[in-house]
Amino acid sequence: MKFTLSWLRDHLETEAPLETLLDALTDLGHEVEEVEDPAKKLGAFRICRVLEAKQHPDADRLRVCRVATWPNGPEGAMEEVQVVCGAPNARTGLVGVFAPVGAYVPGTDLLLKAGSIRGVESNGMLCSERELELSDDHNGIIDLPEDAPVGVRFIDYKGLNDPMIYIKVTPNRPDALGVRGIARDLAARGLGKLKPLVIEKVEGKAPAGIKVTIADELKAKQAPVFAGRVIRGVKNGPSPEWLQQRLKAIGLRPISALVDITNFFTFDLNRPLHVFDADVVKGDLTIRYAREGEELLALDGKTYALKPNMMVIADDNGPESLAGVMGGEHSGCTDATVNVFLESAYWDPITIAATGRALKINSDARYRFERGIDPTFTLEGLDAATRMVLELCGGEPSDLVIDGAIPDVKREYRFDAGRVGKLVGLEISEQEQRDMLTALGFTFNGDMVTPPGWRPDVLGEADLVEEVARVKSLSGLEGKPMPRQKPGVPAPVLTPAQTRERTTRRTLASLGYNECVTYSFIDQKSAEAFGGGQDAVKIDNPISSEMTHMRPDLLPGLLAAAARNQARGFMDLALFEVGPVFSGGEPGEQQVIATGLLVGHSSPRDPWGSRRPVDIFDAKADVEAVLAAIGAPARVQVTRKVAAWWHPGRSGNIALGPNTLATFGELHPRVLRDAGIKGNAVAFTVILPAIPQPKAKSASRAALAISDLQAVERDFAFVVDSQVEALTLVNAALGADKALIESVRVFDQFTGEKAEAQMGPGKKSIALSVRLQPGDKTLTDKDIEAVSAKIVEKVSKASGGTLRG
């Protein structure tokens, strides 16, 4: 929305400086995008008089001018400078425009400096209109009337000192698309007084001769009301200078008085209008849907193929205007127009928006109608425009013709002054709140408030609070600590699940992983590869073809991120993500998991040869660290029944009986190939909801128990089948005596051909180190032998192995 300062002051009686108004506009929600202040660009240019102009001694086309610029001194003596000028109209007595040394000339992109031209000193410049960017005329310097006041700024003399302000208007504030709406906001802020808007009703002097009819299917919503009148005997031509300057200042091209009037009301009062050449209209006007095959040559010179869902204003010949969007060229006004039909209507915003988008027409009328103008101002806007047509173009108005009725947009909401403090935090008295809303056009009936017709965005009590806070300014908010409900240390606010997620993230970050946040939507092929892709998790309106389904796992997003990084030369990666996955479309069919991915090698290259490809044991070590950090039980089982996207022989599940806690291992080569991953890749997934919460609820750690008795370690070597996991032996040994056995660890494994040669085919040896920690007495040899026998018995029963001799 563009307007000038003088235009704003037509509606707002204010003495506030420009900077104050600009700050207030942004604070009110109308962000100032640009300000074109002529004083900054042309303020240095002043009216001057050429006292003498004589021929340059060394150039036929140059003249040496003695120029009087502005009064200097208490007696008002004129300051004189010498200027060398090449304009053909430079002469003695000419009153023109002078630019002093140091001024910037915008038309030539030149910063004036004192200099010498053909040996003659020159200080400043006599300017043409092109040099001031007033026109393209540069055949001579500006020639002003004899009575032009010397020394006065040129922009003040010509009325050009009128800053243009460009603000961004949010879609919910259509009232700010008119200068009066902006003035109303500033008046409510207290920066002036809104001038009264007096519109006299126009009395018709003859029948219109043109009837208007709205099709029955449009009256209910799409076109509730359409009104107009014929004005006979107008004289169309150029609009007055003040109107042309207004339109030029905001970037519009003046066309003719009739067209300029409609453009003026579009920006002045947010009332789009249209004027038809009544002599061209054949028969009456009907507002209807377009018919198949109809076309319209619009005012922009383009022909548009219309569709049946588009509203048109048609006569007996066919469409003459695209309702609420753009008029047609056939019935447009020209200099020969004598009789006109001036219309004012209210159109459905959604229908107008759909038509404009379908035809790709961006007009000022469409921009306003699709945001919602004031329907109650339909007839008043018509009278105001009629008055201006009669004033500028003459003519005789006809009776009003109208079909439909002004839609009833009246609504009431309860006003509660206390809600401002509760919702916003501003302490404002009730009377001040009422005054603010009244200044914005709201009316009160006791505790009930009625929004004005130009505020379709106010749809509830909370919107009243927003208006009060907006006018008062949220910059007045002061930060205050919230009161505690109870004294003392506040209770934790995170749920156990949130605490577990935070611990998981911190643990993985400390292990060297980089966190990723990927989309919860993936393509169907990737979803099917990881056990998903059903219709229950399909997105009805996906944002792209690659985001059609909810993800069943986090691995597709991490693999895609790894592939993008490898394509850019980062081959060794450690990535993780904590987020939800979806097994169905119902609220309970989702869970939060944590997934880590290792790709490439475990470390950079070094002289000691420590660099190696990542393997399954890297993933197992990291997943065990995560499980330990979030309090998972230490004694678990490892099973081999994994999902199809894991390598069947190099992966496993960490479980508590039938309850799977995590999965780790290598990914299936097919999955890596489809994802475009190069090199080794191992991963792990932790199912956070499946891990039981610790039994101890205390926030503090348990007391450290240190025994003063000597610990004892004993080593055992067992011969087992080569397919038996070491974890089976460790868990069995731990169960031999839970009170006495502190820890069990594997310290040796003998496998391969040599092992089978000694122990038999398909056999291997696993050596365990068992630490015994007594608590009440020193262990005797008999106690140690008893525990050792239990260990051998438990391990042999669990693994089928024998003690190696």
Side-chain angles (χ1 to χ4, degrees):
M1 174 64 185
K2 295 181 179 180
F3 57 95
T4 62
L5 182 59
S6 66
W7 199 341
L8 177 67
R9 286 177 172 160
D10 283 350
H11 295 278
L12 182 68
E13 187 177 327
T14 180
E15 297 298 329
L18 177 63
E19 292 300 323
T20 301
L21 295 174
L22 297 179
D23 292 341
L25 284 171
T26 298
D27 196 37
L28 285 165
H30 311 306
E31 184 178 352
V32 177
E33 283 283 290
E34 179 185 0
V35 178
E36 290 183 2
D37 190 355
K40 294 183 178 180
K41 185 170 71 171
L42 302 177
F45 298 82
R46 295 182 178 266
I47 298 175
C48 68
R49 184 183 298 275
V50 179
L51 302 178
E52 181 186 23
K54 58 182 181 180
Q55 187 66 41
H56 191 287
D58 195 26
D60 293 339
R61 297 186 178 181
L62 298 179
R63 287 178 175 80
V64 180
C65 301
R66 188 162 55 89
V67 178
T69 55
W70 48 81
N72 183 22
E75 291 78 18
M78 290 291 178
E79 181 179 336
E80 296 183 10
V81 295
Q82 180 173 284
V83 177
V84 176
C85 180
N89 62 333
R91 67 184 187 278
T92 300
L94 178 138
V95 179
V97 179
F98 172 72
V101 172
Y104 173 74
V105 182
T108 57
D109 192 22
L110 178 67
L111 184 64
L112 291 180
K113 298 180 180 179
S116 177
I117 300 177
R118 294 286 186 97
V120 177
E121 182 182 354
S122 180
N123 296 284
M125 182 180 188
L126 294 172
C127 301
S128 67
E129 289 190 355
R130 188 178 74 167
E131 286 154 348
L132 270 63
E133 293 187 335
L134 300 179
S135 71
D136 293 331
D137 183 13
H138 64 286
N139 293 324
I141 56 178
I142 297 174
D143 192 348
L144 299 176
E146 285 288 328
D147 58 352
V150 176
V152 173
R153 294 195 307 180
F154 177 66
I155 56 173
D156 295 332
Y157 171 75
K158 291 291 288 183
L160 300 175
N161 190 14
D162 193 8
M164 188 282 295
I165 304 168
Y166 173 31
I167 64 172
K168 288 180 67 176
V169 179
T170 54
N172 67 320
R173 289 298 308 278
D175 61 301
L177 294 173
V179 179
R180 187 165 183 83
I182 299 168
R184 186 184 297 109
D185 266 12
L186 292 170
R189 173 58 68 90
L191 292 179
K193 181 179 179 182
L194 187 67
K195 296 180 180 180
L197 179 64
V198 180
I199 299 176
E200 297 181 7
K201 185 175 179 61
V202 176
E203 298 294 337
K205 297 182 179 180
I210 296 177
K211 297 179 181 179
V212 295
T213 304
I214 303 174
D216 292 338
E217 65 269 20
L218 300 179
K219 279 187 179 180
K221 182 180 179 182
Q222 285 77 7
V225 62
F226 183 90
R229 63 163 45 94
V230 173
I231 307 175
R232 297 180 176 89
V234 299
K235 182 175 176 57
N236 196 17
S239 55
E241 183 66 23
W242 69 267
L243 182 52
Q244 292 193 36
Q245 284 189 2
R246 286 276 167 87
L247 299 179
K248 288 178 181 177
I250 62 174
L252 294 181
R253 178 175 59 88
I255 298 174
S256 66
L258 291 171
V259 177
D260 293 351
I261 288 170
T262 61
N263 286 334
F264 172 79
F265 280 98
T266 298
F267 284 85
D268 186 62
L269 299 177
N270 191 30
R271 177 63 258 181
L273 304 161
H274 186 61
V275 60
F276 297 85
D277 189 330
D279 294 330
V280 175
V281 175
K282 183 178 181 181
D284 298 326
L285 292 176
T286 302
I287 295 84
R288 58 171 173 82
Y289 280 126
R291 295 164 184 158
E292 195 67 44
E294 286 187 326
E295 294 182 340
L296 176 68
L297 175 60
L299 289 172
D300 60 0
K302 298 179 181 178
T303 299
Y304 296 95
L306 307 181
K307 297 181 180 179
N309 61 343
M310 299 176 180
M311 289 190 299
V312 297
I313 304 172
D315 61 4
D316 294 348
N317 289 327
E320 293 290 352
S321 175
L322 197 56
V325 179
M326 185 173 287
E329 189 172 287
H330 175 256
S331 58
C333 294
T334 65
D335 291 343
T337 297
V338 177
N339 303 313
V340 297
F341 181 85
L342 180 64
E343 64 93 355
S344 178
Y346 179 75
W347 311 105
D348 173 52
I350 296 177
T351 305
I352 298 301
T355 300
R357 291 173 186 173
L359 298 178
K360 298 180 180 179
I361 298 178
N362 293 312
S363 65
D364 293 322
R366 172 206 162 183
Y367 188 76
R368 285 159 174 80
F369 277 122
E370 70 182 5
R371 281 159 176 78
I373 65 169
D374 181 7
T376 65
F377 193 68
T378 302
L379 300 183
E380 290 181 284
L382 180 61
D383 285 336
T386 302
R387 289 285 181 189
M388 185 174 285
V389 171
L390 297 177
E391 179 184 344
L392 300 183
C393 304
E396 181 179 276
S398 75
D399 296 333
L400 181 71
V401 289
I402 184 171
D403 193 18
I406 303 295
D408 184 10
V409 294
K410 186 177 180 180
R411 55 207 185 277
E412 285 186 328
Y413 304 108
R414 184 169 298 281
F415 172 71
D416 182 1
R419 294 197 70 188
V420 173
K422 295 177 182 178
L423 296 182
V424 183
L426 290 172
E427 297 299 329
I428 309 172
S429 67
E430 180 176 347
Q431 187 57 48
E432 187 178 359
Q433 293 185 41
R434 286 176 175 266
D435 292 342
M436 290 177 183
L437 293 174
T438 301
L440 291 173
F442 293 75
T443 56
F444 282 83
N445 181 15
D447 289 337
M448 302 303 292
V449 182
T450 300
W454 57 79
R455 291 303 301 272
D457 58 304
V458 178
L459 298 173
E461 296 179 23
D463 291 336
L464 301 178
V465 175
E466 181 184 0
E467 287 303 296
V468 172
R470 184 178 64 86
V471 173
K472 185 64 176 178
S473 178
L474 294 176
S475 60
L477 281 173
E478 297 180 2
K480 297 180 181 179
M482 296 182 66
R484 291 184 178 178
Q485 295 181 349
K486 298 179 180 179
V489 179
V493 295
L494 296 181
T495 65
Q498 291 172 326
T499 303
R500 177 166 283 177
E501 291 178 28
R502 182 180 63 181
T503 303
T504 301
R505 286 188 171 91
R506 290 182 174 180
T507 302
L508 288 170
S510 68
L511 292 172
Y513 286 76
N514 294 306
E515 184 173 10
C516 294
V517 179
T518 63
Y519 283 106
S520 296
F521 319 120
I522 59 176
D523 62 280
Q524 184 174 7
K525 182 180 178 181
S526 298
E528 290 174 346
F530 287 86
Q534 305 91 346
D535 290 341
V537 292
K538 186 177 181 180
I539 307 299
D540 287 339
N541 188 22
I543 59 178
S544 76
S545 60
E546 298 178 351
M547 298 182 181
T548 57
H549 288 72
M550 303 298 290
R551 63 187 178 190
D553 201 279
L554 298 181
L555 278 171
L558 292 178
L559 289 171
R564 286 193 297 270
N565 278 274
Q566 284 193 332
R568 289 159 177 77
F570 299 95
M571 306 305 293
D572 302 332
L573 300 164
L575 308 176
F576 84 91
E577 182 173 5
V578 178
V581 295
F582 306 86
S583 58
E586 298 301 321
E589 296 178 329
Q590 69 179 64
Q591 59 184 353
V592 176
I593 66 174
T595 298
L597 176 67
L598 291 169
V599 180
H601 292 75
S602 61
S603 62
R605 291 186 295 178
D606 56 40
W608 303 280
S610 59
R611 177 177 170 86
R612 61 173 179 79
V614 294
D615 56 30
I616 183 176
F617 298 105
D618 293 312
K620 184 181 180 185
D622 291 342
V623 75
E624 287 178 342
V626 172
L627 291 173
I630 59 180
R635 294 186 61 185
V636 294
Q637 298 85 41
V638 175
T639 63
R640 295 182 179 274
K641 191 176 181 180
V642 295
W645 53 89
W646 296 97
H647 195 297
R650 301 176 185 175
S651 58
N653 293 323
I654 298 177
L656 284 174
N659 183 26
T660 299
L661 307 183
T663 303
F664 67 93
E666 293 184 14
L667 293 172
H668 198 286
R670 168 180 47 79
V671 173
L672 297 180
R673 182 181 65 253
D674 293 342
I677 301 297
K678 301 175 183 177
N680 289 21
V682 296
F684 61 84
T685 293
V686 180
I687 306 172
L688 297 179
I691 300 170
Q693 293 288 341
K695 295 181 180 179
K697 300 296 183 180
S698 174
S700 60
R701 293 182 180 179
L704 178 63
I706 300 178
S707 176
D708 56 356
L709 300 177
Q710 180 68 38
V712 178
E713 289 193 5
R714 288 291 183 269
D715 296 341
F716 303 86
F718 294 93
V719 177
V720 296
D721 292 339
S722 58
Q723 299 299 320
V724 176
E725 295 92 348
L727 184 62
T728 303
L729 280 69
V730 172
N731 288 337
L734 283 170
D737 192 326
K738 296 180 181 180
L740 191 59
I741 298 176
E742 182 183 73
S743 64
V744 178
R745 62 183 181 87
V746 178
F747 71 89
D748 184 48
Q749 182 175 249
F750 184 32
T751 61
E753 294 179 358
K754 292 183 178 181
E756 292 184 355
Q758 294 184 18
M759 295 172 286
K763 298 292 183 179
K764 67 179 179 180
S765 173
I766 296 178
L768 304 178
S769 177
V770 181
R771 182 180 178 86
L772 309 177
Q773 178 61 64
D776 53 357
K777 65 175 184 175
T778 302
L779 295 177
T780 64
D781 289 342
K782 185 177 180 181
D783 295 333
I784 296 173
E785 289 175 0
V787 174
S788 299
K790 288 182 180 180
I791 292 173
V792 173
E793 179 186 356
K794 286 281 188 179
V795 171
S796 298
K797 184 177 179 180
S799 64
T802 59
L803 194 65
R804 183 178 176 186

